Amino acid sequence: MTSSLSNRKIVVGVTGGIAAYKTAELVRLLVKAGAEVHVVLTEGGAHFVTAVTFQALSGNPVWTDAWDARMDNNMAHIDLTRGADAVLVAPASADFMSKLAHGMANDLLSTLCLARDCPLLIAPAMNRQMWENPATQRNVRLLRDDGIALLGPDAGDQACGEVGNGRMLEPEDIFEGLVAFLSPKLLAGRRVLMTAGPTFEAIDPVRGITNISSGKMGYALAQACARAGAEVLLVSGPVALDTPYGVSRIDVHSASQMHQAVMHHVAAHDIFIGVAAVADYRPVEVATDKIKKTGAEMSVALTRNPDILAGVAALPSPPFCVGFAAESRALDEYAEGKRVAKKLQLVVGNLVQDGMGGDDNRVTLYDAAGRHPLPAASKIEVAQGIVEHLARMLPARAPH
Ligand code: PMT
């Protein structure tokens, strides 16, 4: 399995805005993911970051001038986008968006955007008043009507000291937005509800029972579903991970809270995926005060938690249900046993020693047709393999 950007040709346009410094990191991420990157810098962009920076990071010459004689036929505005998979302008200033909306072609970047034969994505970046100005908003509508994809902007602190809409998305989110844009839409129109991470079952205000799930597998799967065009709601136990771009997230601590959140939202979803390592038991009582050390031993009475996945699968009209099984041995036997016992369409089995905590995993899929091992890979690559299998199993959607 390869990265979805390997061998893709991406033309990155950089216009005049302080966010241009973040585009250096974006170019680094694209190159690291295997993309061939060609940077085009406007005169304004060159005031913020030099061509040398982008040349060093992309490993390719940087283009700034429509009259640049380095291109054999002197047609940089045509040749740069031929064979490109996308043009991505980040930051896109208010001025550049206005040029694009009105079909202007008075520098290299605006000319090549007009002459391109590939998708165009822009990541706006400007002061909040400029973003909210009716002229900019009019341009946004024109650009969307023309099929140009907008990534962001974000809201928050701005370089000018004001706070509001107009910040450029972070490089990681622009990167993810581009990957999602270029990914096959295997789950278009599907609504996916997922659980991920561990649960934490409190014993007293400072202690509890939990497990070593990092949430990485669940978050990677949420990201892969979002890339594939699904609307994703992730109910997450306590983890130290950022929410994947395009995914909505509800944070919970205990299995009971996870159960409640899932049951509240499940009716609006057509797929449920349980990746969470849910604690099977919780203390019968949670002490309000910190328990003091007394004897040499201590025991805590435990009671069973609800089985969230089994509960969802037993609903009168359940969504398509996918379970996970983490075992330390006899994976085939236990994973297939869980699929049958919980009445699931698909179970993803992994050995604890392969999948828990780390960045990589090796999984086997179990469905009514048998077992389907996937190659060991990074969790995002494994997640993409799961999405491909899942998409093949889904019933065709009725035409609207
Ligand atoms: O988070 P990582 O560090 O990336 O690790 C990933 C993982 C190993 C946790 C993940 O790949 C995985 O296997 N998750 C399932 C863990 C597990 O063993 O679950 P289980 O065998 O206890 O439960 C089987 C299925 O029922 C799971 O889908 C689980 O989410 C679900 N379940 C279990 C108990 C319960 N009370 N409610 C549930 O919904």
Side-chain angles (χ1 to χ4, degrees):
M1 282 180 275
T2 52
S3 148
S4 44
L5 285 186
S6 55
N7 302 319
R8 301 279 201 149
K9 177 179 171 185
I10 310 295
V11 177
V12 174
V14 184
T15 73
I18 182 60
Y21 83 92
K22 293 187 180 179
T23 310
E25 173 64 5
L26 172 63
V27 168
R28 195 190 67 77
L29 291 172
L30 293 169
V31 170
K32 192 172 162 216
E36 175 191 329
V37 180
H38 298 269
V39 177
V40 177
L41 202 52
T42 65
E43 195 187 333
H47 279 291
F48 291 92
V49 185
T50 69
V52 176
T53 302
F54 288 117
Q55 180 164 347
L57 290 168
S58 69
N60 283 313
V62 170
W63 305 88
T64 52
D65 183 1
W67 312 109
D68 195 323
R70 284 175 299 169
M71 195 69 87
D72 287 346
N73 57 4
N74 230 324
M75 293 207 190
H77 66 292
I78 308 284
D79 290 2
L80 279 171
T81 63
R82 294 303 176 261
D85 292 280
V87 175
L88 170 60
V89 180
S93 64
D95 174 63
F96 190 73
M97 286 170 61
S98 176
K99 277 192 201 185
L100 272 184
H102 295 91
M104 287 179 70
N106 60 357
D107 65 4
L108 177 58
L109 187 59
S110 55
T111 312
L112 75 78
C113 284
L114 209 56
R116 80 189 190 280
D117 59 358
C118 63
L120 171 59
L121 298 90
I122 62 170
M126 64 199 71
N127 162 270
R128 70 184 174 90
Q129 297 285 16
M130 293 171 81
W131 173 253
E132 282 158 19
N133 190 293
T136 305
Q137 290 304 310
R138 194 163 53 240
N139 289 335
V140 166
R141 286 192 293 277
L142 289 172
L143 294 172
R144 287 206 169 108
D145 287 349
D146 287 347
I148 293 169
L150 269 77
L151 303 176
D154 209 351
D157 293 340
Q158 302 207 303
C160 55
E162 296 183 7
V163 181
N165 272 328
R167 258 168 75 107
M168 189 171 85
L169 285 185
E170 292 303 319
E172 294 75 13
D173 288 339
I174 299 175
F175 173 86
E176 189 52 37
L178 176 69
V179 172
F181 184 89
L182 295 174
S183 299
K185 295 291 164 266
L186 299 175
L187 297 180
R190 308 282 183 176
R191 304 190 74 193
V192 179
L193 179 63
M194 295 184 54
T195 64
T199 65
F200 180 87
E201 312 298 329
I203 296 173
D204 71 7
V206 297
R207 304 182 181 90
I209 301 170
T210 187
N211 59 63
I212 59 167
S213 166
S214 63
K216 288 178 189 169
M217 189 65 240
Y219 276 56
L221 193 50
Q223 187 168 23
C225 289
R227 284 181 179 179
E231 204 176 300
V232 185
L233 177 58
L234 178 61
V235 180
S236 175
V239 297
L241 298 174
D242 291 331
T243 310
Y245 180 74
V247 170
S248 306
R249 165 172 162 183
I250 297 174
D251 286 325
V252 295
H253 273 87
S254 65
S256 304
Q257 290 169 347
M258 188 174 272
H259 183 235
Q260 219 177 358
V262 166
M263 289 306 172
H264 183 73
H265 290 280
V266 69
H269 292 83
D270 43 20
I271 300 170
F272 176 70
I273 311 178
V275 196
V278 184
D280 290 316
Y281 294 88
R282 68 177 184 279
V284 174
E285 279 179 20
V286 182
T288 13
D289 293 318
K290 184 178 169 190
I291 298 170
K292 293 292 170 203
K293 289 189 287 286
T294 46
E297 289 180 6
M298 172 191 168
S299 51
V300 179
L302 301 177
T303 183
R304 269 302 271 274
N305 270 326
D307 190 315
I308 304 166
L309 178 60
V312 170
L315 287 171
S317 3
F320 187 98
C321 283
V322 182
F324 268 65
E327 307 295 344
S328 52
R329 53 175 283 274
L331 183 60
D332 284 351
E333 183 190 335
Y334 290 134
E336 177 60 8
K338 280 180 185 167
R339 189 183 74 79
V340 174
K342 296 195 188 189
K343 299 191 173 54
L344 309 173
Q345 279 91 342
L346 179 65
V347 162
V348 180
N350 46 193
L351 289 169
V352 186
Q353 50 273 34
D354 286 341
M356 221 154 185
D359 292 332
D360 300 329
N361 202 357
R362 178 197 295 275
V363 305
T364 301
L365 310 183
Y366 302 84
D367 60 21
R371 66 190 290 282
H372 315 272
L374 297 185
S378 68
K379 283 184 175 167
I380 186 65
E381 289 172 316
V382 168
Q384 273 157 218
I386 297 170
V387 165
E388 283 164 24
H389 190 91
L390 165 66
R392 283 194 294 272
M393 289 183 72
L394 290 174
R397 293 176 70 84
H400 292 294

